[in-house]
Amino acid sequence: MSDNNPLKTQKMDFSAINKTTAKSFNEQKNLIKRLFKGNTVQCEVCKQPLQLIVPTDKQASGKYGVFCKNGCTDIELEMEMIA
C-alpha cells in the first residue's frame, strides 16, 4: 500500500476535551457534595437556590437530582431508596 491512501486514519488529540470534561465533572461533583451537606448553592445563571431532589418514602420514583426553578441547572442523578 502506498502512503497516499485516502482512507488512512489520523490521530486526534482529545486532551483539551478531556480536560474540560474532567473539570466540569469535578465541579458538578463538588456542587452535589455541598448540597448533600445541607449548604445553600445558587444557580450560576439565575442566582436562585438549587434544589436537591432525592427519593423518599412518599415519592419512591421520579426525577432525582439537582434542579433550578427556572430550569437553568438540571443535573439528573440515578438514585434509589435504601430501606
Side-chain angles (χ1 to χ4, degrees):
M1 294 204 121
S2 73
D3 290 335
N4 296 332
N5 185 353
L7 299 177
K8 186 177 179 181
T9 59
Q10 297 178 358
K11 275 190 171 181
M12 298 191 70
D13 183 15
F14 289 104
S15 60
I17 294 170
N18 290 340
K19 286 179 186 177
T20 304
T21 302
K23 181 181 176 193
S24 175
F25 174 80
N26 287 322
E27 287 173 355
Q28 287 184 3
K29 182 174 70 171
N30 290 330
L31 179 139
I32 293 165
K33 281 182 183 180
R34 290 194 312 264
L35 286 169
F36 268 110
K37 288 180 181 178
N39 298 337
T40 300
V41 179
Q42 295 184 349
C43 175
E44 291 182 8
V45 177
C46 70
K47 306 302 181 203
Q48 296 292 317
L50 295 175
Q51 296 178 319
L52 176 63
I53 309 295
V54 296
T56 62
D57 290 335
K58 295 179 182 178
Q59 184 184 4
S61 64
K63 190 174 176 181
Y64 309 118
V66 179
F67 305 100
C68 169
K69 287 183 181 180
N70 297 332
C72 310
T73 301
D74 186 347
I75 304 172
E76 196 166 333
L77 301 172
E78 291 183 22
M79 298 178 163
E80 55 186 60
M81 189 77 179
I82 299 176

Coordinates of all heavy atoms in Angstrom, one line a residue:
M1 N 0.8 -1.2 0.0 CA 0.0 0.0 0.0 C 0.9 1.2 0.0 O 1.9 1.3 0.6 CB -0.9 0.0 1.2 CG -1.9 -1.0 1.3 SD -3.2 -0.5 2.4 CE -4.6 -0.6 1.2
S2 N 0.4 2.3 -0.6 CA 1.2 3.5 -0.7 C 0.7 4.4 0.5 O -0.3 4.2 1.1 CB 1.0 4.2 -2.0 OG -0.3 4.7 -2.1
D3 N 1.6 5.4 0.8 CA 1.3 6.4 1.8 C 0.2 7.4 1.4 O -0.3 8.2 2.2 CB 2.5 7.2 2.2 CG 3.5 6.3 2.9 OD1 3.1 5.3 3.5 OD2 4.7 6.6 2.9
N4 N -0.3 7.3 0.2 CA -1.3 8.3 -0.3 C -2.7 7.7 -0.2 O -3.6 8.1 -0.9 CB -1.0 8.6 -1.8 CG 0.3 9.4 -2.0 OD1 0.7 10.1 -1.1 ND2 0.9 9.2 -3.1
N5 N -2.8 6.7 0.6 CA -4.1 6.0 0.8 C -5.1 7.0 1.4 O -4.9 7.6 2.5 CB -3.9 4.8 1.8 CG -5.2 4.1 1.9 OD1 -6.3 4.5 1.5 ND2 -5.1 2.9 2.6
P6 N -6.2 7.3 0.8 CA -7.2 8.3 1.3 C -7.9 7.8 2.5 O -8.5 8.6 3.2 CB -8.2 8.5 0.1 CG -8.1 7.3 -0.7 CD -6.6 6.8 -0.5
L7 N -7.9 6.6 2.8 CA -8.6 6.0 4.0 C -7.7 5.9 5.2 O -8.1 5.4 6.2 CB -9.2 4.6 3.7 CG -10.2 4.6 2.5 CD1 -10.6 3.2 2.3 CD2 -11.4 5.5 2.9
K8 N -6.5 6.5 5.1 CA -5.6 6.5 6.2 C -6.2 7.2 7.4 O -6.7 8.3 7.3 CB -4.3 7.1 5.8 CG -3.2 7.0 6.8 CD -1.9 7.6 6.3 CE -0.8 7.5 7.3 NZ 0.4 8.1 6.9
T9 N -6.1 6.6 8.6 CA -6.7 7.3 9.8 C -5.7 8.2 10.4 O -4.5 8.1 10.2 CB -7.0 6.2 10.9 OG1 -5.9 5.5 11.2 CG2 -8.1 5.3 10.4
Q10 N -6.2 9.3 11.0 CA -5.4 10.3 11.6 C -5.5 10.2 13.1 O -6.6 9.9 13.6 CB -5.7 11.7 11.1 CG -5.6 11.9 9.6 CD -6.0 13.3 9.2 OE1 -6.5 14.0 10.0 NE2 -5.8 13.6 7.9
K11 N -4.5 10.5 13.8 CA -4.5 10.6 15.2 C -5.2 11.9 15.6 O -4.9 13.0 15.1 CB -3.1 10.6 15.9 CG -2.6 9.2 16.1 CD -1.3 9.4 16.9 CE -0.9 8.0 17.4 NZ 0.3 8.1 18.2
M12 N -6.1 11.8 16.6 CA -6.8 13.0 17.0 C -6.4 13.3 18.4 O -6.3 12.4 19.2 CB -8.3 12.8 16.9 CG -8.8 12.7 15.4 SD -10.5 12.8 15.2 CE -10.8 14.5 15.5
D13 N -6.3 14.6 18.8 CA -5.9 14.9 20.1 C -7.1 15.4 20.9 O -7.7 16.4 20.6 CB -4.9 16.1 20.0 CG -4.4 16.5 21.4 OD1 -4.6 15.7 22.4 OD2 -3.8 17.6 21.5
F14 N -7.5 14.5 21.9 CA -8.7 14.8 22.7 C -8.3 15.4 24.0 O -9.1 15.5 24.9 CB -9.5 13.5 22.9 CG -10.2 13.1 21.7 CD1 -9.7 12.0 20.9 CD2 -11.3 13.7 21.2 CE1 -10.3 11.6 19.8 CE2 -12.0 13.3 20.1 CZ -11.5 12.2 19.4
S15 N -7.1 15.7 24.3 CA -6.6 16.2 25.6 C -7.3 17.4 26.1 O -7.7 17.5 27.2 CB -5.1 16.4 25.6 OG -4.7 17.4 24.7
A16 N -7.6 18.4 25.2 CA -8.3 19.6 25.6 C -9.8 19.3 26.0 O -10.3 19.8 27.0 CB -8.3 20.6 24.5
I17 N -10.4 18.4 25.2 CA -11.8 18.0 25.5 C -11.8 17.2 26.8 O -12.7 17.4 27.7 CB -12.4 17.2 24.4 CG1 -12.5 18.0 23.1 CG2 -13.7 16.6 24.8 CD1 -12.9 17.2 21.9
N18 N -10.8 16.3 27.0 CA -10.8 15.5 28.2 C -10.6 16.4 29.5 O -11.2 16.2 30.5 CB -9.7 14.5 28.1 CG -10.0 13.4 27.2 OD1 -11.2 13.2 26.8 ND2 -9.0 12.7 26.7
K19 N -9.7 17.4 29.4 CA -9.5 18.3 30.5 C -10.8 19.1 30.8 O -11.1 19.3 32.0 CB -8.4 19.3 30.2 CG -7.0 18.7 30.2 CD -5.9 19.7 29.8 CE -4.6 19.0 29.7 NZ -3.5 20.0 29.3
T20 N -11.5 19.6 29.8 CA -12.7 20.3 30.0 C -13.8 19.5 30.6 O -14.5 19.9 31.6 CB -13.2 20.9 28.7 OG1 -12.2 21.7 28.1 CG2 -14.5 21.8 28.9
T21 N -13.9 18.2 30.1 CA -14.9 17.3 30.7 C -14.6 17.0 32.1 O -15.5 16.9 33.0 CB -14.9 16.0 29.8 OG1 -15.2 16.4 28.5 CG2 -16.0 15.0 30.3
A22 N -13.3 16.7 32.4 CA -12.9 16.4 33.8 C -13.2 17.5 34.7 O -13.7 17.3 35.9 CB -11.5 16.0 33.8
K23 N -12.9 18.7 34.3 CA -13.2 19.9 35.1 C -14.6 20.1 35.4 O -15.1 20.3 36.5 CB -12.6 21.2 34.4 CG -12.8 22.4 35.2 CD -12.2 23.7 34.5 CE -12.5 24.9 35.3 NZ -12.3 26.1 34.6
S24 N -15.5 20.0 34.4 CA -16.9 20.1 34.5 C -17.5 19.0 35.5 O -18.3 19.3 36.3 CB -17.6 20.0 33.2 OG -19.0 19.9 33.3
F25 N -17.0 17.8 35.3 CA -17.4 16.7 36.2 C -17.1 17.0 37.6 O -17.9 16.8 38.5 CB -16.8 15.4 35.7 CG -17.1 14.2 36.6 CD1 -18.3 13.5 36.6 CD2 -16.1 13.8 37.6 CE1 -18.5 12.5 37.4 CE2 -16.4 12.8 38.5 CZ -17.6 12.1 38.4
N26 N -15.9 17.4 37.9 CA -15.5 17.7 39.3 C -16.2 18.9 39.9 O -16.6 18.8 41.0 CB -14.0 17.9 39.3 CG -13.2 16.7 39.1 OD1 -13.6 15.6 39.6 ND2 -12.1 16.7 38.4
E27 N -16.5 19.9 39.1 CA -17.4 21.0 39.5 C -18.8 20.5 39.9 O -19.3 20.9 41.0 CB -17.5 22.1 38.5 CG -16.2 22.9 38.3 CD -16.2 23.8 37.1 OE1 -17.2 23.9 36.4 OE2 -15.2 24.6 36.9
Q28 N -19.4 19.7 39.1 CA -20.7 19.2 39.4 C -20.7 18.3 40.6 O -21.6 18.3 41.5 CB -21.3 18.4 38.2 CG -21.7 19.3 37.1 CD -22.4 18.5 35.9 OE1 -22.6 17.3 36.0 NE2 -22.7 19.3 34.9
K29 N -19.6 17.4 40.7 CA -19.5 16.5 41.9 C -19.4 17.4 43.2 O -20.0 17.1 44.2 CB -18.3 15.7 41.7 CG -18.1 14.7 42.8 CD -16.9 13.7 42.6 CE -15.6 14.4 42.6 NZ -14.4 13.5 42.6
N30 N -18.6 18.4 43.2 CA -18.4 19.3 44.4 C -19.7 20.0 44.7 O -20.1 20.2 45.9 CB -17.3 20.2 44.2 CG -15.9 19.5 44.2 OD1 -15.8 18.5 44.9 ND2 -15.0 20.1 43.5
L31 N -20.5 20.5 43.7 CA -21.7 21.1 43.9 C -22.7 20.2 44.6 O -23.4 20.5 45.5 CB -22.3 21.6 42.5 CG -23.6 22.3 42.6 CD1 -23.6 23.5 41.6 CD2 -24.8 21.4 42.2
I32 N -22.8 18.9 44.1 CA -23.7 17.9 44.7 C -23.3 17.6 46.1 O -24.1 17.5 47.0 CB -23.7 16.7 43.8 CG1 -24.3 17.0 42.5 CG2 -24.4 15.5 44.5 CD1 -24.1 15.9 41.4
K33 N -22.0 17.5 46.4 CA -21.5 17.3 47.8 C -21.9 18.4 48.7 O -22.4 18.2 49.8 CB -20.0 17.2 47.8 CG -19.4 15.9 47.3 CD -17.9 16.0 47.5 CE -17.2 14.7 47.0 NZ -15.7 14.8 47.1
R34 N -21.8 19.7 48.2 CA -22.2 20.8 49.1 C -23.7 20.8 49.4 O -24.1 21.0 50.5 CB -21.8 22.1 48.4 CG -20.3 22.4 48.4 CD -20.0 23.8 48.0 NE -20.7 24.4 46.9 CZ -20.2 24.4 45.6 NH1 -19.0 23.9 45.4 NH2 -20.9 25.0 44.7
L35 N -24.5 20.4 48.4 CA -26.0 20.3 48.6 C -26.3 19.2 49.6 O -27.1 19.3 50.5 CB -26.7 20.1 47.3 CG -26.8 21.3 46.4 CD1 -27.3 21.0 45.0 CD2 -27.7 22.4 47.0
F36 N -25.6 18.0 49.5 CA -25.9 16.9 50.4 C -25.5 17.3 51.8 O -26.0 16.7 52.8 CB -25.1 15.6 50.0 CG -25.9 14.8 49.1 CD1 -25.7 14.6 47.7 CD2 -27.0 14.1 49.6 CE1 -26.4 13.8 46.9 CE2 -27.8 13.2 48.8 CZ -27.5 13.1 47.4
K37 N -24.5 18.2 52.0 CA -24.1 18.6 53.3 C -25.1 19.6 53.9 O -24.9 20.0 55.1 CB -22.7 19.3 53.3 CG -21.6 18.3 53.0 CD -20.2 19.0 53.0 CE -19.1 18.0 52.8 NZ -17.8 18.7 52.7
G38 N -26.0 20.1 53.1 CA -27.0 21.0 53.6 C -26.7 22.4 53.3 O -27.5 23.3 53.7
N39 N -25.7 22.7 52.5 CA -25.3 24.1 52.2 C -26.3 24.6 51.1 O -26.7 23.8 50.2 CB -23.9 24.2 51.7 CG -22.9 23.8 52.7 OD1 -23.2 23.8 53.9 ND2 -21.7 23.3 52.3
T40 N -26.5 25.9 51.1 CA -27.3 26.5 50.0 C -26.3 26.9 48.9 O -25.3 27.5 49.1 CB -27.9 27.8 50.5 OG1 -28.8 27.5 51.6 CG2 -28.7 28.5 49.4
V41 N -26.7 26.4 47.7 CA -25.9 26.7 46.5 C -26.8 27.4 45.5 O -27.9 26.9 45.3 CB -25.3 25.4 45.9 CG1 -24.5 25.6 44.6 CG2 -24.5 24.6 46.9
Q42 N -26.3 28.4 44.9 CA -27.1 29.2 43.9 C -26.7 28.8 42.5 O -25.6 28.5 42.2 CB -26.9 30.7 44.1 CG -27.4 31.1 45.5 CD -27.3 32.6 45.6 OE1 -26.7 33.3 44.8 NE2 -27.9 33.2 46.7
C43 N -27.7 28.9 41.6 CA -27.5 28.6 40.2 C -26.6 29.7 39.6 O -26.7 30.9 40.0 CB -28.9 28.7 39.5 SG -28.8 28.5 37.7
E44 N -25.6 29.2 38.8 CA -24.7 30.2 38.3 C -25.3 31.1 37.3 O -24.8 32.2 37.1 CB -23.6 29.4 37.6 CG -22.7 28.6 38.5 CD -21.5 27.9 37.8 OE1 -21.4 28.1 36.6 OE2 -20.8 27.1 38.5
V45 N -26.4 30.7 36.7 CA -27.1 31.6 35.7 C -28.1 32.6 36.3 O -27.9 33.8 36.1 CB -27.8 30.7 34.6 CG1 -28.5 31.5 33.6 CG2 -26.8 29.7 33.9
C46 N -29.0 32.1 37.0 CA -30.1 33.0 37.5 C -29.9 33.3 39.0 O -30.7 34.1 39.6 CB -31.5 32.4 37.3 SG -31.8 30.9 38.3
K47 N -29.0 32.7 39.7 CA -28.7 33.0 41.1 C -29.8 32.6 42.1 O -29.8 33.0 43.2 CB -28.3 34.5 41.3 CG -27.2 35.1 40.4 CD -26.0 34.3 40.6 CE -24.9 34.9 39.7 NZ -23.8 33.9 39.5
Q48 N -30.7 31.7 41.6 CA -31.7 31.2 42.5 C -31.1 29.9 43.2 O -30.2 29.3 42.7 CB -32.9 30.7 41.7 CG -33.7 31.9 41.0 CD -34.3 32.8 42.0 OE1 -35.0 32.3 42.9 NE2 -34.2 34.1 41.8
P49 N -31.6 29.6 44.4 CA -31.1 28.5 45.1 C -31.4 27.2 44.4 O -32.5 27.0 43.8 CB -31.9 28.5 46.5 CG -32.5 29.8 46.6 CD -32.6 30.4 45.2
L50 N -30.5 26.3 44.4 CA -30.7 25.0 43.7 C -31.4 24.0 44.7 O -31.2 24.1 45.9 CB -29.3 24.4 43.3 CG -28.6 25.2 42.2 CD1 -27.2 24.5 42.0 CD2 -29.4 25.2 40.9
Q51 N -32.2 23.1 44.1 CA -32.9 22.2 44.9 C -32.3 20.8 44.7 O -32.1 20.4 43.5 CB -34.4 22.1 44.5 CG -35.1 23.4 44.8 CD -36.6 23.3 44.4 OE1 -36.9 22.8 43.3 NE2 -37.4 23.9 45.2
L52 N -32.1 20.0 45.7 CA -31.7 18.7 45.7 C -32.9 17.8 45.9 O -33.5 17.8 47.0 CB -30.6 18.3 46.7 CG -30.1 16.9 46.8 CD1 -29.5 16.5 45.5 CD2 -29.2 16.7 47.9
I53 N -33.3 17.0 44.9 CA -34.5 16.1 45.0 C -34.0 14.7 45.1 O -33.3 14.2 44.2 CB -35.4 16.3 43.7 CG1 -35.7 17.7 43.4 CG2 -36.6 15.4 43.9 CD1 -36.5 18.4 44.5
V54 N -34.4 14.1 46.2 CA -33.9 12.7 46.5 C -35.2 11.8 46.7 O -36.2 12.3 47.0 CB -33.0 12.6 47.7 CG1 -31.7 13.4 47.4 CG2 -33.7 13.1 48.9
P55 N -35.0 10.5 46.5 CA -36.2 9.6 46.8 C -36.6 9.6 48.3 O -35.8 9.7 49.2 CB -35.7 8.2 46.4 CG -34.3 8.4 46.0 CD -33.9 9.8 46.1
T56 N -37.9 9.6 48.5 CA -38.4 9.5 49.9 C -39.4 8.3 49.9 O -39.8 7.7 48.9 CB -39.1 10.8 50.3 OG1 -40.2 11.0 49.4 CG2 -38.2 12.0 50.2
D57 N -40.0 8.1 51.1 CA -41.0 7.0 51.3 C -42.2 7.3 50.5 O -42.8 6.5 49.8 CB -41.4 6.9 52.7 CG -40.3 6.2 53.6 OD1 -39.4 5.5 53.0 OD2 -40.2 6.5 54.8
K58 N -42.6 8.6 50.4 CA -43.8 9.0 49.7 C -43.6 9.1 48.2 O -44.5 8.9 47.4 CB -44.3 10.4 50.2 CG -44.8 10.3 51.7 CD -45.2 11.6 52.2 CE -45.6 11.6 53.6 NZ -46.0 12.8 54.2
Q59 N -42.4 9.5 47.8 CA -42.1 9.6 46.4 C -40.9 8.8 46.1 O -39.7 9.2 46.0 CB -41.7 11.1 46.1 CG -41.5 11.3 44.6 CD -41.0 12.8 44.3 OE1 -40.8 13.6 45.2 NE2 -40.9 13.1 43.1
A60 N -41.2 7.5 45.9 CA -40.1 6.5 45.6 C -39.7 6.4 44.2 O -38.7 5.7 43.8 CB -40.6 5.1 46.1
S61 N -40.4 7.1 43.3 CA -40.0 7.1 41.9 C -40.2 8.5 41.3 O -41.0 9.3 41.8 CB -40.8 6.1 41.1 OG -42.2 6.5 41.1
G62 N -39.4 8.8 40.3 CA -39.5 10.1 39.7 C -38.1 10.6 39.2 O -37.2 9.8 39.0
K63 N -38.0 11.9 39.1 CA -36.8 12.5 38.6 C -36.0 13.1 39.8 O -36.5 13.9 40.5 CB -37.2 13.6 37.6 CG -36.0 14.2 36.9 CD -36.6 15.2 35.8 CE -35.4 15.9 35.1 NZ -35.9 16.8 34.1
Y64 N -34.8 12.6 40.0 CA -34.0 13.0 41.1 C -32.7 13.7 40.6 O -32.2 13.4 39.6 CB -33.6 11.8 42.0 CG -34.7 10.9 42.4 CD1 -34.8 9.6 41.9 CD2 -35.8 11.4 43.1 CE1 -35.9 8.8 42.3 CE2 -36.8 10.6 43.5 CZ -36.9 9.3 43.1 OH -37.9 8.5 43.4
G65 N -32.3 14.6 41.5 CA -31.0 15.3 41.1 C -31.0 16.7 41.6 O -31.7 17.1 42.6
V66 N -30.3 17.6 40.9 CA -30.1 19.0 41.3 C -30.8 19.8 40.2 O -30.5 19.7 39.0 CB -28.6 19.4 41.4 CG1 -28.4 20.8 41.7 CG2 -27.9 18.5 42.4
F67 N -31.7 20.7 40.7 CA -32.5 21.4 39.7 C -32.7 22.9 40.2 O -32.7 23.2 41.4 CB -33.9 20.8 39.6 CG -33.9 19.4 39.2 CD1 -34.1 18.4 40.2 CD2 -33.7 19.0 37.9 CE1 -34.0 17.1 39.9 CE2 -33.6 17.6 37.6 CZ -33.8 16.7 38.6
C68 N -32.8 23.8 39.2 CA -33.1 25.2 39.4 C -34.6 25.4 39.0 O -35.1 24.7 38.1 CB -32.2 26.0 38.5 SG -32.6 27.7 38.4
K69 N -35.2 26.3 39.8 CA -36.6 26.5 39.5 C -36.9 27.0 38.0 O -37.9 26.7 37.4 CB -37.2 27.6 40.4 CG -37.4 27.1 41.8 CD -38.0 28.1 42.7 CE -38.2 27.6 44.1 NZ -38.8 28.6 45.0
N70 N -35.9 27.7 37.5 CA -36.0 28.3 36.1 C -35.6 27.3 35.1 O -35.7 27.5 33.9 CB -35.3 29.6 36.0 CG -35.8 30.6 36.9 OD1 -37.0 30.7 37.2 ND2 -35.0 31.6 37.3
G71 N -35.0 26.2 35.5 CA -34.5 25.2 34.5 C -33.1 25.4 34.0 O -32.7 24.7 33.1
C72 N -32.4 26.4 34.5 CA -31.1 26.7 34.1 C -30.1 25.5 34.4 O -29.3 25.2 33.6 CB -30.5 28.0 34.8 SG -31.6 29.4 34.7
T73 N -30.2 25.0 35.6 CA -29.4 23.9 36.1 C -30.3 22.7 36.2 O -31.4 22.7 36.8 CB -28.8 24.2 37.5 OG1 -28.0 25.4 37.4 CG2 -27.9 23.0 37.9
D74 N -29.9 21.6 35.5 CA -30.6 20.3 35.5 C -29.6 19.2 35.5 O -29.1 18.8 34.4 CB -31.5 20.3 34.3 CG -32.5 19.1 34.3 OD1 -32.3 18.2 35.1 OD2 -33.4 19.1 33.5
I75 N -29.3 18.7 36.7 CA -28.4 17.6 36.8 C -29.2 16.4 37.3 O -29.5 16.3 38.5 CB -27.2 17.9 37.8 CG1 -26.5 19.2 37.3 CG2 -26.2 16.7 37.9 CD1 -25.5 19.6 38.3
E76 N -29.5 15.5 36.4 CA -30.3 14.3 36.8 C -29.4 13.2 37.4 O -28.4 12.9 36.8 CB -31.1 13.8 35.7 CG -32.2 12.9 36.1 CD -33.3 12.6 35.0 OE1 -33.4 13.5 34.1 OE2 -33.9 11.6 35.0
L77 N -29.8 12.6 38.5 CA -29.0 11.6 39.1 C -29.8 10.3 39.3 O -31.0 10.3 39.5 CB -28.6 12.0 40.6 CG -27.8 13.3 40.7 CD1 -27.6 13.7 42.1 CD2 -26.4 13.1 40.0
E78 N -29.1 9.2 39.1 CA -29.8 7.9 39.3 C -29.7 7.5 40.8 O -28.6 7.4 41.3 CB -29.1 6.8 38.5 CG -29.3 7.0 37.0 CD -28.7 5.9 36.2 OE1 -28.5 4.8 36.8 OE2 -28.5 6.1 35.0
M79 N -30.8 7.5 41.5 CA -30.8 7.2 42.9 C -32.0 6.2 43.2 O -32.9 6.1 42.5 CB -31.1 8.4 43.7 CG -30.1 9.5 43.6 SD -30.7 10.9 44.6 CE -29.2 11.8 44.8
E80 N -31.8 5.5 44.3 CA -32.9 4.6 44.7 C -33.0 4.6 46.3 O -31.9 4.8 46.9 CB -32.8 3.2 44.2 CG -31.5 2.5 44.4 CD -31.5 1.2 43.7 OE1 -31.6 1.2 42.5 OE2 -31.3 0.2 44.4
M81 N -34.1 4.4 46.8 CA -34.4 4.4 48.2 C -33.8 3.1 48.8 O -34.0 2.0 48.3 CB -35.9 4.4 48.5 CG -36.2 4.6 49.8 SD -36.0 6.4 50.3 CE -36.6 6.3 51.9
I82 N -33.0 3.3 49.9 CA -32.5 2.1 50.6 C -33.1 2.0 52.0 O -33.2 3.0 52.7 CB -30.9 2.3 50.8 CG1 -30.2 2.4 49.5 CG2 -30.4 1.1 51.7 CD1 -28.7 2.6 49.6
A83 N -33.8 0.9 52.2 CA -34.5 0.7 53.5 C -33.7 0.2 54.6 O -32.7 -0.4 54.4 CB -35.7 -0.2 53.2

